[in-house]
Every structure is written in C-alpha cells, then in structure tokens.
Amino acid sequence: MSYKKSSEITKEYSIFSNILFVLKQVYRNQKAFVPMMVIQAIVGTFITFIWLFLSKIVIDQVTNNVSVSSFIYSLIFIVIAEIILMEVDSFLNFQNWWRIIHARMSFIPLRMKKLLNMDYENLEIPAVLDLSQRAEKATEGNSDGVEGFLRSIQGLFTSTCKIIMSITIISFLNPLILGFILILAVISYIITDRTKKMDKIKTWDTLSEKFREQGYIAGVEQDFSYAKDIRVFNLSEYLLDKHKKIDSEIHDKISESKKRWLKATGLNQIAALFQEGIIYIWLIYNVLYKSLSIGNFTLYLGTIRTFFNTVGSLLSNIANLRLQSRQINDFRNFLAFGKEGGGKEVPQQNQYVFEFKNVSFKYPGQDTYALKNLSLTISSGTRLAVVGLNGAGKSTFIKLLCGLYTPSEGRIYLNGIDINTFSKESYYALFAPVFQDIEVFAFPLSENISMKIPEKTNEAKAIEAAEKVGLKDKLHSLPNGIASQMLKIFHDDGIDLSGGEKQKLALARALYKDAPVIILDEPTSALDPLAEYQVYTNFDQIIGAKSAIYISHRLASTRFCDTIALFSDGILKEYDTHENLIRKKGEYYQLFEVQAQYYRNQEQKQS
Amino acid sequence: MKKRINKQAITLTLDTVYYLFPKAFRYKPSYFLLAALDIILSIIHPFINIFFPKFLIDELIGNMNLKLIITYLIVLVLGNIGLSYLLSIISTAMSNIDDLFERYFNQQLSLHVMKMKFEYTEDPQILDGLQRAKTGMDWYSGGVGGIVGCIKNIISSFVILVGVISVLALKAPLVLVVIVLFVFLISVFEAKRNNVGLKYYDQLSKMNRGFDYVFSQLSDFKYGKDIRLYNAEEMMVNKANQYNKDLSEIFHKEADELFRYDFVKNMFSGVYDGIIYIYIGLLALTKMITIGDFTMLLTSSQNFNGSLQSIIGGIQDIYKRCRYAHEYVAFMKNFSCLEKGKKKVQETKQHTIEFKNVSFRYPRSEEYALENISICIHSNEKLSIVGANGAGKTTFIKLLCGLYPVTEGEILLDGTNISEYDSAKYMKLFSVVFQDFKLFTFSLKENICLNKEVNQNRLDFLTERLGLKNKVASLPNGFNTSIYKSFDECGFEPSGGEQQKIAIARAWYLESPFAILDEPTASLDPMAEHEIYQNFNDLTENKMVIYISHRLSSCQFCDSIAVFDHGRIVESGTHEQLRSYNGIYRKMFDQQAKYYN
C-alpha cells in the first residue's frame, strides 16, 4: 500500500453520475429540496415573462383604444397573478436557502467519518492527506463543491425553463434570429471558457503553493505561540518582509488574471454590441416596413434579451458544473478510498498475551525499515519499559501493537490469533494510551474523560477517574463540576486547562476506559522530578493487574518495570530485566551509565 | 432601547470608517477617485435606458425620421455597452486595489501582533479578539472594498431615486402620493424586518465561531491516534451532526420569520406596482402621455423599486460590514506596543544583572508568580535554576528578557533599570531557547541564522559541536534543505531531539552575552543529552548562562544553583553546598539519583 501520486487513488466520475450522487445524498436529508427546486425554476420563468407581457398588453390595448374598464380588469388580473407568483417564489427562495446549506453540511460528517475510520497509517501518506484536503474543500464554501454544484443544478433547471419559453416566443417571429443569437452565445462561451482555462493554468495553478506559503507566514506572525521567539530574536521586520514579498508576488499574478478577464469582457462586449445592434436594426426594420406592432416590438426585444442572457448563464452554469463536478470527484474518491472495516470481535478473556513474530515495518513510500524482524511476547500483567535513542523504533512498535499500523512483514498475535482478523474497533478497545500531545476537546469535562457521546457517558465514573489522578481540587473549583464545558469555543466561560492538568486529564481518560493494556508515552517529560515520581507511583497502584507499557528517556522512571526492551536502529537489541541488562553491560548499561554518572559521581564524592 | 442600538450602530460605523478610510486613502488615494467615477457612471447608466427607448418608440410611432431613429439607436446601444465596459474597467482597477488593501491591512495586523506587549499574547481573550479581527476583516466585512462598495451603492441609488422620482412626478404627478405612502410603509416595515435579521445574525455569529472547530479540527489528523484508540469517532460525528442541526434550525427559523415579513412586503409592492401600472396605463389610454412615455415611466418605476431596495439593503449591509470590520479596528486600536526606553546598552564585555526585591503577578491573576526575588548575576557566571512545576522558573526568565514588566521592585542592567533601555536593543543581549521554542519551515541555514548575516564557519562549528554534523551531511541540499516538507519535497522532518539541537544552534549563533536554556534537553535521548553536556563549556565560554532543567544532572557544570519554590528563591549556592543542606534540592536530587544506583 504505497500511494505516491494522488492519481493512483482517484477515479473520474461523469457529471451525470455526480449529479445523481449528490441528489441522492440530499434526498436522504432534505426530501423536499428537489421538487421545490423544480417548482422554483418554473415560477421564476413565469415571473420573468409576466413583466414582458405586461408592457405588451398595455401598449396593445392603448393602440387598440380598448375601454377603460376592460383595461383595468386585465391589469388587475395580471397584478394578482404577479403577486401570487412572487409569494410562491419568495417562499421557495427562503426554503431553499436554508435547505441548501443544510444539505451541504450534511456531507461533512460523511467525510469526517471516513477520515476517522480509515486505517491510521494512511494518514501519513501525503497523497491521501492531499485528497482529504480536497474533499474538505468540496464541502466548504457556498459557491464551490457540493453547495455550488447544487446551485448550478438549480441554475440549470431555471435556465432551461426560460430558454424553452423564449424559443417558443421567438419562433413566432423568425427562427433565423434564433440561430444568430446562438452563434453569438457560443462565441462568448468560447471566449469565457478559454480565459477560464488560461486563468487556471497561468494564475491559479501557479499560485496554490504561494497561497500556502503566504498562509504559513501570516500564520506564524499572528500565532501567539511564536510571540516569545519573535520578540527575543527580533524577527518582526524580517518576517514582515517575507510576508510583503510573497504578497506582492501573489498580487502581481492576481492582477494579471484580472487583466485577462477584462480583455475577455471587452471581447464579449464587442459581441454584445453586434447582437444588440443587429437585433434592434432588425426589429426596427420590421416595425417600419413589416408593420410589427409596438407591443410586439417591446415583447420581442425583451424576450431576445432574456434569451441571450439565459443562454449566457446556462453556458456558465455548465462550465461551473464541470468545475464543481471535479470537486465532487475528489469527495467521492475520498469516500471510496481504502477498505472498510470488518473482522471479528476480540473474545473477552482474563488474560491477554501479545506475540510479535518476525514483524517488520516500513513506512509507506520509504525504503528503510523502521522496525526489523521483531519477535517478542508481552504476557498479561507485564510492566514493560521501552527505551532507546530517538528514532530507534519505539513509537513504531507501540503503533503496531495498538493496531494503528499493519506490519509490512510478519504477524502479531493476540492469544494466538492474528490481530488482523479482528475488527479494528474491538481491538482498539484493549488499549488505553496516554500520548505526549494531549488534546482537550470543546465538550464537557465528563465527555472529555469518557470520550463518548453524552448518552453513553457515566458521570460518576468520570468523577471517580478525575479524582484518582489528582484532579479532585480542580473539579471542586469548577462551578459546574464534571459538566463544565472545556475551551472557550462555544462557551465564553469554558475552562482552559494548564499543561499539568491536561496530562492528568489524559490519565483520567485512560482510567475511565479501563482497558486491559495501558500505554504511557513519555507522560512525564514536562513534569518536575517530584511530580514525576508521584505520577509513577500513583499509576502503578491504579494499574493493578493490568498490563502497562512505558516509553521514557529517563531510565530511572522505568525501574518500576519488570522487563525492559531496548530498541536500536529498528531492532530489538536487548530484552530482559533491569538487573540482568546492567550485568550484561550492553547498550542499556551504557545508556543507563551516561545518565547515572551525574548522580553517581556525586554519590562517590560524598562517600 | 431601540434608539440606543441605533446610536451605537452609528458610532460603530463611523468609528470603523474613520479608522480605515484615512489609512486606505494614504495608501492608495486613486481608489477614491475611481469610486467617485464609478458612482457618476452608475448614475448615468439607467437613465440611458429610461430616456432613449422612449425617444425611439415615440419616433417609431410618430414621425419615423430615419436619421433620428438611427441616432437614438446608436446612443442606446453604444451608450449601454460603452458604459458597462467602462464600469468593468473601473471595477477591475478597484478590485485590484481591494486586493492590495486586504494584504496591506493583514500586514498591519501581523505587525501589530508582533509588536504588541508580550503579555497580551498570553491572554486567551485577546487571542479570541485576534481571531475575530481576522475573520471579521476579510470574510464577513469584505474589508475597505466591501464598505466602499456599500457606500457607492447607497449614493448612486439615492441619486437615481431622486432622478427617477422627478421623471415620474413630471409626467404623472399623482404617482408621487403613492410613492410617498409606499416609501413610508416600506421603511417602517424594513426597520422591523431589520431587527429580525440582526437577531439571527447575532445568533449566527456566535455559532460561526465553532464552525471551523467542529468541521475541521475535530477530524484533524493530529488527534487521529487518540480518536481511534478511544473509539471516539461517534462523539466527534455526533457533535458535527448536532452542530449542523442547530445551525440549520437557526437558518430555518430565520427563513420562516423573514418570509412572514416578505409575504406582506410582496403584497405591498404588488399592490403598489398594480396602482402605478393602472395609473400610467390609464394616462396612456386616455392619450395624456405617449406610448414612449409609458415605457419610460414603467422603466422608471422599476428603477425606483430597485434603487429603494438597494438603499435599504445598503444601509443594513454597511452596518453589518462595519460591525465585523470593527473587530479589526478595535483590535488594532487597543493593544499597545512595548514602550520604548531611550538608553542604549553599553558595549562592554562585562555585564551585571541584578534583581532587586522583584515581585510579579500575571495580569488577571491575584497570586504572585514571583515574590521578592533578589539575585545578582555576572558575566561568565553559570546559573542553574531548579524547582517544581509552577515554581516560577519560566516567569523569572520572561522578566529577565523584558517580556513582562515587573509588578514591584526593579531589574538592573549595569546599574540601570531595564525599562529605561530601548527594548529591542536590550533583548539583543539574550539568546534564549524556550521550552516551547518554534522552528520555521525555512531552510536549515535560515532557521539558524534567521535575519543575521550568514557565517559558514560558525554554522559548521555549531552543528559539529551540537552533534548535527552527520545529519547535515546526510541532507540532500545540506544547510539549504528545508525543515519540514510543507513547501519542499526534499525537506526533512527533524526529530524532537534534532529540533532542540537546531534551536540551541540558533540561539548560540547570535553570540550574545547572555544565554538562557529552558529545559533544552527534555526530548533528547540520554546519549544526545550527554553530548550536549559535554560540549556545554565550549559553547558557553565567556557567556553568562542560565540553565533551567528538571534533570538535576545539569546542575553540576553550573557555578551556582537557585532553587525556586512557590515564586521564591528558597535555596541558593553550589551543588555541593545544596547537597549538604537538607532542603528541596537534596530531596529532588536524591529522588532522581536513587534509581541510578
């Protein structure tokens, strides 16, 4: 599974298939949307033409000298029809306005679900990340992706209705003029389309990277966590210069594109000049020599203009549809990517024994092994320390054990069964990890501990976990206790936790989960020696009979463990108890001595 | 209550305009000339379509003078197309400047953030304010361009409205009565409708704050491990669905409520239209006006409606936009820069820093983070600071670097209070590796040298001493290789340890007299840590060094140690002295040492 280019994971769907896909999904959430859209198109068409007919009727009646009363009756009839149509249109407009946004947003959870469910290792492949980002784009704006696509479809309906209506009216006059208008419309479509293509190639494609760079620089400048470094290293002018430089590069490209569009507009205006001129001349000729009535003159003039505009917007609708369809492609490709879960449940047992058999692992797209030929057994209730230099393969080992990565070679067994045969979900349930980078979510504290939806959160259990890891005082200090909202994103009085409190929150999560295996990945690197000691002793009691795996650079902190696994260059070099490894005087011994000397020397001096 | 809102709306709008427009004018005065031109042309445009079709039709029905007909036709067609082309030239030129404005104001924002007092950057409310300033300015308000566009519209619509009413009044005076009545009804009505709009707009702007969080951040890769292993997907998706539902509900309610208003409004304008048509139709029918006049009045009446709507909409819009843009204005106005002292730092090799009874309280905090600290540090001295989490070690460093002013007491550099020095020059004395240092996605070389001149010898020396030499040799472009892959496929992802080494190299490159290292080896493996300790003396020759670490092993190559506890210095002396004293230091050291025996 190594995807280097995004082309290897993308497939082209036809516009038609994309329309079906989008409408199907919309239908699931918004049944009324499509019928409403069709009705709106028809109503909109009638409203446009009622205006045109109104002046024709008035002028005809004036020239024919009809009676005042019949004149008033006919106008009242038209006005009532107009009011009704306008009410219907306005109702549908408001309805579709919120429905279209709701419909678009209902696509987002599909992408989230996919992202949160796909194999973890895919998240480290640039092509997949890229695709995911593009899929996100497809659900983001009001005029792009799904929502833009829906609007284009709606526009397509309306345009088609109006064109049918215009053609019917004009064909009474002269079909030749139709052909003429069509040719001009196609010319202007070609101009627009060519400009769009040029624009994409010459401006936007070259800019996408510049935009990212600009975003990065501005992000750094305005990121408060960079504030100290920027001040102490006096970087404000330096960064701002970079910012200005890239800004002016982008601006130049953008104004180039604007010039291009202005040129296209100029060409289109020339085409319009011909169109307007010829239509007027032709209609005036008819009035003067073919006795076309003034009423019909205004009707035809209006209709032809409407027709021309509608053909224009139809063509641009189609162009948009093509563009947006590509974004829908991205979205569908993302949803279709990779395999879906499956596999059997992990059987409930008292003992969980994990066995690595000749396991090797290579990161996707890499030539060297991150972990080579690892064989190791972790028996139930073990306390295992994983040590080694940076980059020796410690975290790869942990990710393989947790099932986040699948071995490139070899197998991992749980109680003798290949873990690949289990469903990811039930396998993940075996682990309660505490990683270095702890994230607090904008949910209530209780859910931050349970990591479950409110209905599945046991508050009493969450309180118990929080108290056990030393958050008792914090909990009492919060006005809403365990129900307090975290972060200020949704609630102005949301709680921000300090670094130490976050670490405790992560430990509480692990406790709440009550899984058979606990993993602690450098959980104390930011803690002072006494606090570190406390965490280890407390946790040791809490863990009880469970298995626990510690990763740490501080070899002292791994002295609680029964067994030590020392990784070096992706290989398990040493695996034994602390005492045996010290006696062996191998790599572990060396590592230990390097740290110990600073303390040892002192001891010797003392004694 | 309503009056107060209106008054507030006006002050807010004016405040925004007063702040942004002079700046925009100074930056690109031509923009406002273009806007004026645009207004004039936009006013002329509709009148071509009001007058010339009338002339044309009257001529067609009446004298049929071919020469006149052709003249009208040319004015009509050329005028229309020529004007719209001119307008698109102007709007292109203006949007070009809009882009410049957007960049300019964003740059100003960056500068402001980088220059404002450091303490603001640690205030979550100000962070929130920054977010609102950013999104308010470029998303919702459309910046200067958006506001100018609104004003442009209002002015031109107003003139058109006056013109159109005059046309109507001249030919059909009674229409005026209907118009006055209609305008009165509509404006009373719009005021109510506007309040509905504002009510929902308030609710939505609160919801919007969470949009990015719910739909983007919750599924961010960096939470990937935890979300999978804690099986928290349901929780995230649930939140997204809930948010979608809440948001749609607001939209739905707003749509329903607005429709109720629009239903009545449509009635109004339908009836108004009806009265106008029947009235001017009857005028035409009774030959009081020509058919040409009829079409002219019809177009005028349509323009009347359009202009009125655009004025009403424009006034609401300008307030909305200004309210968003005001977040930016408020942010730019409120948080001041560091005050600059005048004194220059003396160019000597020997410096002394003295803390005299310094106490410090964080803003918004009632407790002292540091209390009554007195300590004197000389050049060439190596000081180690130890203590529990939250004891005040990092705060001490922040005060020393001048990032925070002291609450009580004073800090003296060579006998002069540091607040009297030019702060940028003062900070130049320090090279600091913060606990949460940040690297940039620039080349390795740029990360180390930053804005200083490149000195290859020094680069080589530092990388060798810090154990980065082999790493640099292994990189495809050596020192010119980018850190991280974001902008360069050949870029490299440094491990945590390598990042720390690069940060140390960056600080050392400065050759400043004071060096400060805050937990510099926390993510280094034992070997790398040992290597850095070994080279420590070489690297820090002739410097004053302050070293913060939880690993007490590092204290042994320092001349003196200060032990912080609850914001105070509770013990100080050499390693040997403190070891023999039965205090916190000894307890901590023993705690760590015991596992190494």
Side-chain angles (χ1 to χ4, degrees):
Chain A
M1 278 234 291
S2 77
Y3 308 100
K4 290 209 171 152
K5 277 187 217 126
S6 28
S7 59
E8 290 168 36
I9 45 178
T10 53
K11 195 181 139 194
E12 285 288 321
Y13 297 93
S14 71
I15 292 185
F16 184 70
S17 138
N18 280 337
I19 292 178
L20 280 183
F21 168 78
V22 168
L23 290 185
K24 229 186 244 167
Q25 171 65 21
V26 169
Y27 180 75
R28 230 169 275 155
N29 293 285
Q30 284 293 336
K31 299 210 169 19
F33 181 75
V34 176
M36 279 184 164
M37 191 167 76
V38 175
I39 298 171
Q40 206 189 358
I42 296 168
V43 171
T45 308
F46 278 116
I47 288 180
T48 310
F49 283 94
I50 216 171
W51 289 107
L52 296 174
F53 274 98
L54 181 82
S55 40
K56 174 194 152 55
I57 288 168
V58 173
I59 292 171
D60 281 352
Q61 293 192 333
V62 169
T63 36
N64 295 336
N65 282 320
V66 295
S67 74
V68 172
S69 58
S70 73
F71 173 77
I72 291 180
Y73 284 140
S74 60
L75 271 194
I76 287 180
F77 174 75
I78 291 180
V79 168
I80 289 175
E82 184 210 320
I83 292 176
I84 292 173
L85 286 174
M86 266 167 48
E87 297 293 14
V88 174
D89 182 57
S90 145
F91 172 75
L92 292 173
N93 229 336
F94 277 118
Q95 286 298 313
N96 275 350
W97 169 68
W98 75 267
R99 280 171 204 271
I100 208 167
I101 298 173
H102 181 257
R104 185 247 303 176
M105 291 200 304
S106 67
F107 279 76
I108 302 178
L110 295 182
R111 179 184 60 79
M112 282 177 78
K113 241 185 234 170
K114 180 73 201 181
L115 191 59
L116 298 175
N117 268 325
M118 70 161 63
D119 286 345
Y120 179 76
E121 50 198 280
N122 289 329
L123 298 184
E124 290 173 358
I125 305 169
V128 177
L129 296 190
D130 201 42
L131 183 63
S132 146
Q133 229 164 31
R134 279 184 286 134
E136 190 176 343
K137 266 245 139 38
T139 52
E140 240 171 19
N142 297 109
S143 52
D144 289 325
V146 173
E147 202 177 323
F149 198 63
L150 283 171
R151 288 185 198 283
S152 297
I153 295 173
Q154 188 173 14
L156 208 65
F157 271 120
T158 314
S159 305
T160 315
C161 284
K162 283 187 184 172
I163 284 175
I164 293 172
M165 191 78 168
S166 318
I167 288 178
T168 321
I169 295 173
I170 299 169
S171 58
F172 281 110
L173 188 63
N174 187 341
L176 256 181
I177 201 94
L178 266 182
F180 168 71
I181 296 169
L182 268 180
I183 290 171
L184 280 176
V186 168
I187 289 175
S188 106
Y189 175 75
I190 291 171
I191 294 171
T192 310
D193 197 53
R194 270 196 49 186
T195 313
K196 223 173 224 169
K197 261 185 208 144
M198 286 271 281
D199 213 35
K200 185 175 182 313
I201 295 165
K202 289 210 170 161
T203 305
W204 303 107
D205 283 357
T206 58
L207 273 181
S208 65
E209 184 159 331
K210 293 264 179 245
F211 281 141
R212 278 202 305 137
E213 260 180 84
Q214 200 268 358
Y216 172 73
I217 288 280
V220 164
E221 288 169 340
Q222 296 170 10
D223 182 343
F224 284 176
S225 60
Y226 283 82
K228 283 198 295 275
D229 286 313
I230 287 174
R231 279 163 183 74
V232 168
F233 288 97
N234 192 16
L235 298 178
S236 51
E237 266 80 24
Y238 167 68
L239 290 172
L240 195 69
D241 278 348
K242 277 179 181 274
H243 185 166
K244 282 182 177 165
K245 192 171 150 256
I246 195 139
D247 260 357
S248 77
E249 280 174 42
I250 293 175
H251 176 73
D252 289 347
K253 283 273 176 195
I254 286 180
S255 33
E256 234 173 64
S257 144
K258 290 200 165 125
K259 270 187 204 133
R260 198 173 293 130
W261 279 107
L262 191 62
K263 215 171 98 188
T265 312
L267 289 174
N268 276 327
Q269 297 283 10
I270 292 173
L273 192 71
F274 276 101
Q275 174 231 344
E276 290 264 301
I278 289 173
I279 289 169
Y280 263 113
I281 290 170
W282 187 74
L283 280 176
I284 287 171
Y285 167 82
N286 270 288
V287 172
L288 291 179
Y289 304 107
K290 297 267 160 95
S291 67
L292 181 75
S293 75
I294 295 295
N296 281 335
F297 172 80
T298 52
L299 175 67
Y300 287 132
L301 190 63
T303 307
I304 290 169
R305 277 209 183 132
T306 307
F307 180 72
F308 194 86
N309 290 339
T310 315
V311 170
S313 61
L314 177 79
L315 292 175
S316 80
N317 261 328
I318 292 173
N320 284 338
L321 213 56
R322 268 171 41 193
L323 205 79
Q324 288 146 353
S325 179
R326 251 174 270 156
Q327 292 171 318
I328 308 291
N329 267 342
D330 290 335
F331 190 80
R332 292 181 74 181
N333 275 317
F334 183 67
L335 290 194
F337 173 77
K339 57 178 195 307
E340 282 299 310
K344 57 187 179 199
E345 292 282 302
V346 176
Q348 277 269 318
Q349 258 149 341
N350 294 327
Q351 304 257 314
Y352 293 95
V353 181
F354 296 90
E355 191 185 5
F356 281 61
K357 258 196 189 154
N358 307 319
V359 169
S360 295
F361 182 77
K362 254 196 285 202
Y363 280 90
Q366 300 238 311
D367 300 326
T368 47
Y369 283 96
L371 212 58
K372 247 180 306 190
N373 205 21
L374 172 65
S375 296
L376 159 99
T377 306
I378 305 166
S379 43
S380 210
T382 319
R383 243 140 260 203
L384 174 70
V386 179
V387 301
L389 303 188
N390 293 330
K394 303 191 294 287
S395 23
T396 310
F397 164 67
I398 294 296
K399 285 176 185 159
L400 282 167
L401 174 67
C402 294
L404 291 170
Y405 291 154
T406 318
S408 313
E409 289 153 36
R411 288 201 199 295
I412 304 169
Y413 298 95
L414 167 62
N415 295 340
I417 306 169
D418 185 349
I419 64 166
N420 259 331
T421 61
F422 296 124
S423 84
K424 290 265 179 209
E425 216 168 81
S426 80
Y427 185 72
Y428 288 153
L430 300 176
F431 301 93
V434 178
F435 291 113
Q436 272 172 299
D437 35 2
I438 296 145
E439 222 34 74
V440 181
F441 299 99
F443 300 125
L445 179 58
S446 54
E447 289 168 49
N448 263 293
I449 294 174
S450 71
M451 299 289 269
K452 293 275 171 285
I453 58 173
E455 296 81 39
K456 295 187 186 167
T457 297
N458 178 343
E459 281 200 4
K461 199 173 153 196
I463 294 173
E464 195 193 325
E467 286 179 349
K468 266 193 190 158
V469 297
L471 280 173
K472 192 171 182 174
D473 292 343
K474 182 77 192 174
L475 207 56
H476 287 306
S477 77
L478 298 175
N480 296 323
I482 199 79
S484 302
Q485 292 286 346
M486 298 288 108
L487 307 184
K488 295 199 162 39
I489 293 170
F490 297 109
H491 302 270
D492 290 330
D493 56 351
I495 310 295
D496 290 310
L497 295 180
S498 74
E501 287 163 350
K502 276 191 201 169
Q503 216 141 35
K504 287 175 183 164
L505 171 70
L507 295 171
R509 253 178 217 165
L511 274 189
Y512 183 97
K513 191 174 176 188
D514 196 22
V517 184
I518 288 181
I519 292 169
L520 298 167
D521 185 359
E522 287 261 15
T524 59
S525 64
L527 296 184
D528 62 71
L530 299 181
E532 181 182 20
Y533 175 72
Q534 245 173 356
V535 166
Y536 280 121
T537 39
N538 279 349
F539 226 72
D540 208 54
Q541 286 168 5
I542 290 166
I543 287 166
K546 293 177 174 136
S547 305
I549 297 168
Y550 294 88
I551 304 178
S552 181
H553 282 321
R554 311 293 143 212
L555 301 189
S557 58
T558 55
R559 291 282 296 272
F560 298 97
C561 298
D562 317 323
T563 327
I564 285 155
L566 179 125
F567 285 84
S568 175
D569 292 328
I571 295 169
L572 178 65
K573 275 272 174 64
E574 294 173 15
Y575 183 72
D576 210 333
T577 62
H578 171 77
E579 285 69 26
N580 286 342
L581 286 177
I582 290 294
R583 236 172 278 134
K584 189 182 158 196
K585 292 202 186 315
E587 262 184 58
Y588 176 78
Y589 171 77
Q590 273 179 4
L591 221 55
F592 189 81
E593 283 301 298
V594 159
Q595 279 189 338
Q597 62 178 333
Y598 296 101
Y599 301 94
R600 186 87 42 71
N601 288 344
Q602 230 47 48
E603 291 300 313
Q604 283 161 0
K605 260 183 226 164
Q606 287 260 313
S607 46
Chain B
M1 163 83 184
K2 213 160 104 191
K3 277 222 172 101
R4 220 181 54 224
I5 291 176
N6 281 338
K7 208 174 157 195
Q8 192 198 346
I10 292 167
T11 4
L12 202 138
T13 306
L14 288 180
D15 200 33
T16 309
V17 170
Y18 281 151
Y19 181 86
L20 293 177
F21 280 29
K23 287 195 165 46
F25 186 78
R26 244 170 281 142
Y27 183 55
K28 284 277 163 195
S30 58
Y31 186 75
F32 293 87
L33 194 74
L34 287 168
L37 251 166
D38 186 291
I39 291 174
I40 295 170
L41 295 181
S42 321
I43 292 170
I44 296 174
H45 201 181
F47 287 98
I48 291 184
N49 289 318
I50 288 175
F51 291 123
F52 285 86
K54 167 201 147 59
F55 297 149
L56 194 65
I57 289 175
D58 280 349
E59 206 53 42
L60 278 175
I61 299 174
N63 299 329
M64 297 200 186
N65 180 339
L66 207 58
K67 218 169 143 192
L68 270 180
I69 289 177
I70 290 172
T71 316
Y72 294 146
L73 193 60
I74 289 176
V75 175
L76 187 61
V77 172
L78 270 183
N80 255 330
I81 287 169
L83 271 181
S84 59
Y85 189 56
L86 273 178
L87 279 169
S88 49
I89 291 174
I90 293 174
S91 93
T92 302
M94 284 181 80
S95 78
N96 230 337
I97 301 178
D98 284 339
D99 182 59
L100 284 177
F101 280 156
E102 196 188 317
R103 295 176 192 286
Y104 173 74
F105 284 108
N106 187 27
Q107 287 164 8
Q108 294 303 308
L109 182 68
S110 283
L111 194 63
H112 189 66
V113 171
M114 292 190 288
K115 292 273 183 187
M116 71 187 184
K117 279 186 198 154
F118 175 73
E119 58 188 80
Y120 295 133
T121 67
E122 294 195 333
D123 184 340
Q125 275 182 343
I126 293 175
L127 180 64
D128 194 41
L130 172 64
Q131 288 307 333
R132 278 183 285 134
K134 269 197 278 198
T135 49
M137 190 69 169
D138 26 276
W139 288 8
Y140 306 118
S141 80
V144 174
I147 298 169
V148 167
C150 253
I151 295 177
K152 238 169 50 186
N153 245 334
I154 293 174
I155 296 178
S156 58
S157 299
F158 185 74
V159 177
I160 293 170
L161 196 70
V162 171
V164 166
I165 290 176
S166 328
V167 172
L168 285 167
L170 273 178
K171 288 279 174 185
L174 274 181
V175 165
L176 271 185
V177 180
V178 185
I179 285 179
V180 169
L181 212 75
F182 179 65
V183 170
F184 175 74
L185 276 176
I186 286 282
S187 44
V188 169
F189 196 75
E190 281 291 343
K192 282 193 179 162
R193 187 182 189 273
N194 194 15
N195 285 339
V196 176
L198 283 182
K199 184 177 88 191
Y200 284 103
Y201 161 86
D202 269 350
Q203 289 183 17
L204 282 174
S205 54
K206 269 196 202 114
M207 287 290 284
N208 268 337
R209 275 161 58 187
F211 188 89
D212 178 60
Y213 182 75
V214 170
F215 287 131
S216 192
Q217 289 190 45
L218 282 187
S219 52
D220 198 334
F221 315 117
K222 69 175 189 242
Y223 314 147
K225 284 186 302 219
D226 286 303
I227 290 174
R228 278 171 181 70
L229 291 168
Y230 280 100
N231 196 6
E233 170 227 328
E234 190 184 7
M235 173 165 132
M236 305 297 162
V237 174
N238 187 56
K239 187 86 180 173
N241 282 328
Q242 186 59 42
Y243 182 86
N244 189 359
K245 216 179 112 205
D246 291 350
L247 199 62
S248 303
E249 230 156 68
I250 295 181
F251 279 130
H252 189 172
K253 270 195 202 145
E254 185 182 2
D256 285 353
E257 203 164 327
L258 285 180
F259 174 66
R260 254 177 272 151
Y261 280 92
D262 276 22
F263 184 80
V264 183
K265 206 179 96 184
N266 288 337
M267 286 288 190
F268 277 167
S269 58
V271 171
Y272 164 80
D273 283 347
I275 294 174
I276 299 276
Y277 297 148
I278 292 172
Y279 176 55
I280 58 175
L282 281 175
L283 286 181
L285 197 65
T286 53
K287 307 289 185 219
M288 306 273 281
I289 55 172
T290 63
I291 290 187
D293 287 335
F294 170 77
T295 54
M296 176 176 81
L297 293 179
L298 204 63
T299 323
S300 297
S301 147
Q302 278 163 11
N303 271 300
F304 167 80
N305 258 337
S307 303
L308 189 65
Q309 287 304 327
S310 114
I311 291 174
I312 292 167
I315 288 170
Q316 289 167 9
D317 203 28
I318 197 169
Y319 167 58
K320 265 190 204 171
R321 284 173 190 269
C322 283
R323 199 159 105 153
Y324 275 121
H326 196 262
E327 301 279 6
Y328 176 89
V329 175
F331 187 84
M332 293 297 282
K333 275 183 165 177
N334 271 344
F335 310 110
S336 55
C337 298
L338 270 179
E339 284 140 42
K340 277 198 171 171
K342 294 252 163 66
K343 274 206 177 165
K344 280 188 185 161
V345 178
Q346 277 182 318
E347 298 265 345
T348 52
K349 293 244 161 160
Q350 298 292 314
H351 290 287
T352 310
I353 283 196
E354 191 181 0
F355 276 60
K356 258 191 179 168
N357 308 316
V358 169
S359 294
F360 177 73
R361 237 184 353 217
Y362 278 97
R364 308 175 303 282
S365 164
E366 289 180 4
E367 274 165 53
Y368 279 96
L370 287 177
E371 246 180 304
N372 207 17
I373 300 284
S374 293
I375 190 170
C376 191
I377 317 161
H378 302 282
S379 290
N380 302 332
E381 204 176 46
K382 297 187 177 24
L383 170 71
S384 178
I385 298 181
V386 299
N389 293 93
K393 304 185 298 287
T394 303
T395 307
F396 176 77
I397 299 300
K398 286 180 188 163
L399 291 186
L400 177 62
C401 296
L403 289 171
Y404 275 107
V406 298
T407 315
E408 286 153 37
E410 52 184 353
I411 304 173
L412 305 172
L413 169 70
D414 305 329
T416 310
N417 192 314
I418 62 167
S419 62
E420 290 177 32
Y421 290 107
D422 175 343
S423 62
K425 297 232 165 67
Y426 175 75
M427 281 186 190
K428 270 193 183 158
L429 294 176
F430 298 92
S431 43
V432 193
V433 182
F434 288 108
Q435 212 173 345
D436 49 352
F437 63 85
K438 296 281 180 182
L439 300 181
F440 302 96
T441 58
F442 305 153
S443 69
L444 176 59
K445 189 195 276 174
E446 252 195 300
N447 263 290
I448 297 175
C449 305
L450 290 173
N451 48 347
K452 297 18 177 229
E453 212 171 297
V454 176
N455 175 343
Q456 192 59 47
N457 287 338
R458 185 145 179 84
L459 265 180
D460 291 336
F461 169 76
L462 286 174
T463 38
E464 199 220 290
R465 281 308 157 92
L466 289 168
L468 279 172
K469 196 179 174 190
N470 290 338
K471 184 71 199 180
V472 177
S474 77
L475 295 175
N477 297 316
F479 279 110
N480 292 320
T481 312
S482 279
I483 295 191
Y484 310 119
K485 288 188 194 293
S486 321
F487 302 112
D488 181 1
E489 270 180 36
C490 309
F492 78 110
E493 306 271 345
S495 67
E498 282 160 359
Q499 288 180 29
Q500 267 182 341
K501 289 176 176 177
I502 296 168
I504 296 173
R506 178 173 82 178
W508 253 246
Y509 188 84
L510 288 177
E511 297 191 84
S512 21
F514 302 133
I516 298 171
L517 295 148
D518 192 353
E519 279 280 346
T521 58
S523 56
L524 292 183
D525 60 60
M527 285 313 208
E529 184 180 38
H530 176 67
E531 227 175 299
I532 290 197
Y533 286 173
Q534 290 296 302
N535 286 307
F536 191 74
N537 282 327
D538 284 349
L539 288 166
T540 59
E541 222 175 330
N542 300 324
K543 284 190 193 214
M544 182 195 87
V545 180
I546 297 179
Y547 204 101
I548 299 181
S549 179
H550 288 319
R551 312 293 143 213
L552 302 187
S553 46
S554 62
C555 294
Q556 292 161 38
F557 44 80
C558 288
D559 306 320
S560 60
I561 299 161
V563 182
F564 278 65
D565 189 37
H566 292 97
R568 292 168 177 275
I569 298 181
V570 289
E571 291 166 35
S572 65
T574 63
H575 176 69
E576 282 72 22
Q577 284 168 346
L578 293 182
R579 278 279 289 146
S580 57
Y581 175 72
N582 195 6
I584 293 180
Y585 184 78
R586 179 166 176 176
K587 208 169 135 200
M588 280 184 156
F589 190 86
D590 288 349
Q591 188 63 259
Q592 283 189 339
K594 114 173 154 207
Y595 298 105
Y596 291 106
N597 293 295

